[in-house]
């Protein structure tokens, strides 16, 4: 059970079709990731697929190539762990406010394949 203070509902009505999308950001891991657990639980309750999306921001203040290398190596492990669990992982690049909606719209048009 996820503690209610650890989650926030953004949209009051749930769609009747399509996957539950977990936008991975700060917690770039599978284990001990409460938001991912919440999304997985919601996907089970809604009988929908869970997908994970991570957006790489190309200009993060004070981030060096070493930071990006560390992050991307970690994301490769995350993708591998998710694949073993049968959970698709997608990465986008750019400003999250633009890229995440663009990605979701594109995937919806392609029927989430």
């Amino acid at each position: 059970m996820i503690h209610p203070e650890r989650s926030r509902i953004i949209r009051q009505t749930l769609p009747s079709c399509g996957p539950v999308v977990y936008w991975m950001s700060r917690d770039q891991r599978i284990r001990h990731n409460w938001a991912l657990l919440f999304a997985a639980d919601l996907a089970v309750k809604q009988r929908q697929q869970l997908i994970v999306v991570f957006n790489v921001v190309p200009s993060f203040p004070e981030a060096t190539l070493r930071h990006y290398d560390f992050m991307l190596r970690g994301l490769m492990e995350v993708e591998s762990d998710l694949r073993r669990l049968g959970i698709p992982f997608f990465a986008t690049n750019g400003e999250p406010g633009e890229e995440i909606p663009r990605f979701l719209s594109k995937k919806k048009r392609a029927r989430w394949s």
Side-chain angles (χ1 to χ4, degrees):
M1 181 72 179
I2 306 299
H3 193 282
E5 291 180 8
R6 289 193 172 269
S7 63
R8 163 180 61 147
I9 303 297
I10 296 173
R11 183 176 174 176
Q12 294 301 319
T13 58
L14 296 174
S16 59
C17 64
V20 171
V21 179
Y22 169 56
W23 172 10
M24 181 178 277
S25 182
R26 188 190 72 179
D27 295 333
Q28 298 168 22
R29 62 182 183 267
I30 302 302
R31 296 183 54 149
H32 307 294
N33 184 329
W34 295 103
L36 179 58
L37 290 172
F38 181 82
D41 184 56
L42 185 60
V44 168
K45 287 178 181 173
Q46 295 296 312
R47 296 185 177 142
Q48 298 293 336
Q49 181 183 28
L50 171 64
I51 68 170
V52 176
V53 179
F54 183 87
N55 186 79
V56 178
V57 180
S59 58
F60 199 79
E62 299 180 28
T64 66
L65 288 177
R66 178 179 262 171
H67 291 111
Y68 279 99
D69 181 63
F70 179 79
M71 178 185 67
L72 293 174
R73 287 177 190 268
L75 288 172
M76 287 170 45
E77 289 180 27
V78 165
E79 190 273 336
S80 178
D81 291 343
L82 288 169
R83 187 177 338 112
R84 278 193 290 277
L85 295 171
I87 301 170
F89 175 82
F90 299 93
T92 60
N93 181 31
E95 293 304 315
E98 297 171 13
E99 293 305 319
I100 298 294
R102 183 178 301 146
F103 167 81
L104 295 175
S105 178
K106 181 178 168 183
K107 292 301 281 180
K108 184 176 181 179
R109 284 192 309 271
R111 302 255 190 230
W112 299 103
S113 56

